[in-house]
Amino acid sequence: MNIKSSFGLLVVIVGLFVSPVGAVETISVSVTNGDYVVSSGFQTIDSGIVITATSLDGAKVSISSGFTSGEDRFGYSNVAGITGSYNSSTGVLSFSGTASGADYQAQLRSVQYKNTSSNPTNRSRSFFFSLGAALPNPENGHFYQFVNHGSLLNWTTAKNAAALKTYHGLKGYLVTVTSATEMSFVKSKLSGVGWLGASDSGSEGTWKWMTGPETGLHFYSTTGSCAATDGAAVSGRYHNWDPGTNGCGEPNNSGGEDYGHFHSNGKWNDYPLNGHNVVRKYVVEYGGSVGDPTPILTATVSVDIIEYRITASSNNGGGISPSGVQEYPMNSTPTYTATPSLGFYLSEFQENGVPVGSVNPHTMAQITSDGTIRAVFAQAPRVTIASGSLNGTLSSVGDNYIPHGDNFTVTITPDTHFQIKDVFVDGVSQGVVSSLTLSNVQGDHTISATFENIMHNITTTLSGEGQGAITPPGTLSFRQFFDSASYTIAPQSNMFYISDVIVDGVSQGIQTSVSFFPVMVPHTIEAVISIRPRLDSNFFGTGF
């Protein structure tokens, strides 16, 4: 698949060299946006590469920045007999075989990239496409070949052989390395000991570049055999001499050593002309020489390695957490929490614009692409619970915002010694209820309640044949706990007497008063008044 249409945001740098009018061989890339998503398998780098060439004998795809040998892999299809090989230690995919420019275009369009790690070491890669067999250096636009001569060769032979080589019109020369970045590039492509274009054969200790655009450039001087104490860079120019392990390092002119070569680790050493009969290789550089054409032989695609991006948002009724853009591995199921603002409720979550319910928190389905999640809030109906009068309470006093269509229940609780007098919804009496539920709330409501004292009646009665009185008489009401009651009982005259007082159905014997401190329950008081017998001395009173 094309990165542009499949990956989302991609940072692409097209590093091309300006071609003069009439240039035949060119390469260009089409990618302008895209990313490589972690754990997404092989993805085509650019299916729109365009090559203009009649015939080619090779091409390369190299990872010029961000390369990690244990993670980066290339895939490709074989086209028209072109063969490919990938060096996993250097990050270079090489194609070889003579074929048309159209065939090589199809070949490079087939190249795919895969990162094998679920947590890549570096989060960006630059893929450098180049035509021909040489390796391109993105820093300076030059090309490099590590040549295995097969048999022993001295420095002069290597220098002359390099000078005879051309690369798409670019003159070859024994490599000159003038920066740490260039050295890093060359080192990553080395595969053994090889000659480079440095020598002090003209004047002992005066090291110059003897090849290419830098021919004659004095870059290092040494006055003795111990470079650590006798050697120094000229005008700060770059060098990469081997510091060695003896405290002196290279160059040391041991046995007439006047010619520079690479160790396999990239460090420089001086050898005699014959290379101590061990050197079989050399490095050729192309580019920068006077009269060189400027063909468009390279193009760079820089890719950000990302996880899938989920963008979380909400409307003005609340927030969502985590918010903004988050990255997740493929097939992960992130969870989001919505928090309504005062006066709002969560209406629904939406994944990629599709409603997915209002369960909060919400766990997304497995992620297989970039996407969005949105929390949608709506204005909530308001149920206002009045603080009520004294002597009782209602639950959830104040403004309560209820999700549209939900139920809302309030409980009404009187204080001790009080009772509910009435409950009102929007000013309409609901009677005496201790719990009230509003079902399917669609709009605003107000709930209030009133409370009153618990009242108890005390009822007095007279019985018997005699006459008398209970004061106060009849039925009277008293507030529970807060009131007390006292009663007196008296016969009308001496002709009568109290024979019993019965309180709440229980005989209390002969009593002239009854009191309740305080009144806590209803009571009854019955006074039994009897007639005295005539033989009773009290019948007629004193003095009879």
Side-chain angles (χ1 to χ4, degrees):
M1 66 185 72
N2 188 284
I3 293 178
K4 181 177 180 180
S5 63
S6 305
F7 289 174
L9 178 62
L10 169 68
V11 179
V12 176
I13 305 167
V14 179
L16 303 179
F17 305 110
V18 179
S19 174
V21 176
V24 175
E25 297 172 348
T26 66
I27 180 173
S28 64
V29 294
S30 67
V31 171
T32 56
N33 293 288
D35 290 318
Y36 177 83
V37 180
V38 173
S39 302
S40 60
F42 280 105
Q43 298 290 334
T44 300
I45 298 174
D46 184 2
S47 62
I49 288 176
V50 175
I51 292 176
T52 302
T54 302
S55 177
L56 293 170
D57 62 358
K60 293 185 183 294
V61 184
S62 59
I63 302 175
S64 59
S65 67
F67 172 66
T68 304
S69 62
E71 300 175 5
D72 295 320
R73 297 291 184 270
F74 283 122
Y76 56 91
S77 301
N78 289 317
V79 176
I82 299 171
T83 59
S85 64
Y86 176 58
N87 187 329
S88 61
S89 64
T90 61
V92 176
L93 172 61
S94 300
F95 293 107
S96 61
T98 301
S100 69
D103 288 336
Y104 266 96
Q105 175 178 282
Q107 184 68 73
L108 294 187
R109 286 181 176 184
S110 77
V111 175
Q112 295 182 319
Y113 171 74
K114 175 183 178 179
N115 191 288
T116 61
S117 173
S118 60
N119 184 26
T121 303
N122 300 305
R123 288 303 177 117
S124 65
R125 298 289 188 276
S126 289
F127 300 108
F128 206 56
F129 293 86
S130 61
L131 303 182
L135 290 168
N137 180 0
E139 180 202 24
N140 57 14
H142 294 187
F143 295 82
Y144 300 78
Q145 274 186 307
F146 190 81
V147 179
N148 187 344
H149 185 66
S151 59
L152 296 173
L153 79 166
N154 64 34
W155 183 88
T156 301
T157 301
K159 175 178 176 291
N160 294 336
L164 291 175
K165 292 182 178 292
T166 60
Y167 186 73
H168 299 274
L170 302 176
K171 301 181 185 71
Y173 51 91
L174 208 55
V175 65
T176 62
V177 182
T178 59
S179 73
T181 305
E182 184 180 12
M183 185 62 245
S184 178
F185 175 83
V186 173
K187 174 186 174 183
S188 69
K189 315 308 176 187
L190 289 174
S191 59
V193 176
W195 291 117
L196 72 156
S199 173
D200 70 343
S201 59
S203 176
E204 182 62 40
T206 300
W207 282 91
K208 297 180 180 181
W209 293 116
M210 307 301 289
T211 58
E214 288 78 28
T215 297
L217 181 66
H218 183 195
F219 68 90
Y220 190 83
S221 291
T222 179
T223 58
S225 61
C226 185
T229 58
D230 303 329
V234 175
S235 300
R237 294 183 179 121
Y238 181 76
H239 66 87
N240 194 39
W241 295 110
D242 191 342
T245 59
N246 61 359
C248 283
E250 304 294 342
N252 60 10
N253 194 36
S254 176
E257 296 175 328
D258 296 328
Y259 301 92
H261 77 92
F262 295 107
H263 285 310
S264 57
N265 65 1
K267 293 297 182 179
W268 304 353
N269 183 33
D270 56 340
Y271 265 1
L273 181 63
N274 66 4
H276 291 305
N277 295 317
V278 296
V279 181
R280 288 177 168 82
K281 302 173 183 179
Y282 59 100
V283 179
V284 184
E285 182 175 356
Y286 303 91
S289 295
V290 175
D292 271 355
T294 53
I296 304 174
L297 300 178
T298 65
T300 303
V301 178
S302 294
V303 179
D304 284 337
I305 298 179
I306 66 163
E307 296 167 306
Y308 282 124
R309 290 171 174 161
I310 300 298
T311 302
S313 63
S314 64
N315 62 356
N316 292 331
I320 187 170
S321 178
S323 61
V325 178
Q326 306 294 324
E327 292 187 357
Y328 300 100
M330 175 179 282
N331 296 325
S332 61
T333 55
T335 296
Y336 285 83
T337 301
T339 304
S341 301
L342 183 64
F344 292 84
Y345 72 98
L346 175 66
S347 174
E348 64 184 14
F349 283 102
Q350 296 175 352
E351 288 189 22
N352 302 315
V354 178
V356 289
S358 58
V359 175
N360 191 16
H362 171 72
T363 298
M364 297 183 69
Q366 285 187 332
I367 294 174
T368 57
S369 65
D370 290 348
T372 63
I373 183 168
R374 183 172 177 83
V376 180
F377 301 93
Q379 186 77 43
R382 180 178 63 185
V383 177
T384 301
I385 307 300
S387 59
S389 60
L390 297 175
N391 309 320
T393 58
L394 288 80
S395 61
S396 305
V397 169
D399 291 334
N400 298 270
Y401 295 93
I402 313 302
H404 194 270
D406 275 13
N407 300 336
F408 180 77
T409 298
V410 61
T411 56
I412 304 96
T413 306
D415 292 344
T416 304
H417 310 305
F418 290 86
Q419 61 189 4
I420 300 167
K421 183 177 182 180
D422 204 350
V423 177
F424 301 90
V425 176
D426 302 330
V428 178
S429 173
Q430 306 298 306
V432 178
V433 292
S434 60
S435 178
L436 178 70
T437 297
L438 300 179
S439 300
N440 189 24
V441 177
Q442 300 292 322
D444 295 348
H445 295 285
T446 299
I447 300 175
S448 62
T450 57
F451 303 91
E452 62 183 359
N453 290 97
I454 296 175
M455 304 299 292
H456 294 304
N457 291 338
I458 298 179
T459 302
T460 63
T461 58
L462 293 172
S463 64
E465 300 87 351
Q467 299 178 9
I470 301 176
T471 304
T475 299
L476 298 176
S477 292
F478 298 88
R479 297 175 302 168
Q480 186 185 78
F481 182 75
F482 298 101
D483 289 339
S484 298
S486 295
Y487 289 83
T488 60
I489 305 165
Q492 187 177 34
S493 67
N494 286 341
M495 293 179 59
F496 307 101
Y497 70 96
I498 301 168
S499 60
D500 199 3
V501 174
I502 302 170
V503 176
D504 299 332
V506 179
S507 173
Q508 306 296 315
I510 298 173
Q511 303 287 335
T512 59
S513 65
V514 176
S515 297
F516 304 99
F517 299 98
V519 177
M520 296 299 293
V521 295
H523 295 288
T524 59
I525 303 173
E526 179 185 355
V528 181
I529 308 298
S530 299
I531 301 173
R532 291 183 184 278
R534 288 182 177 272
L535 296 178
D536 190 333
S537 60
N538 292 321
F539 183 83
F540 296 105
T542 303
F544 176 77

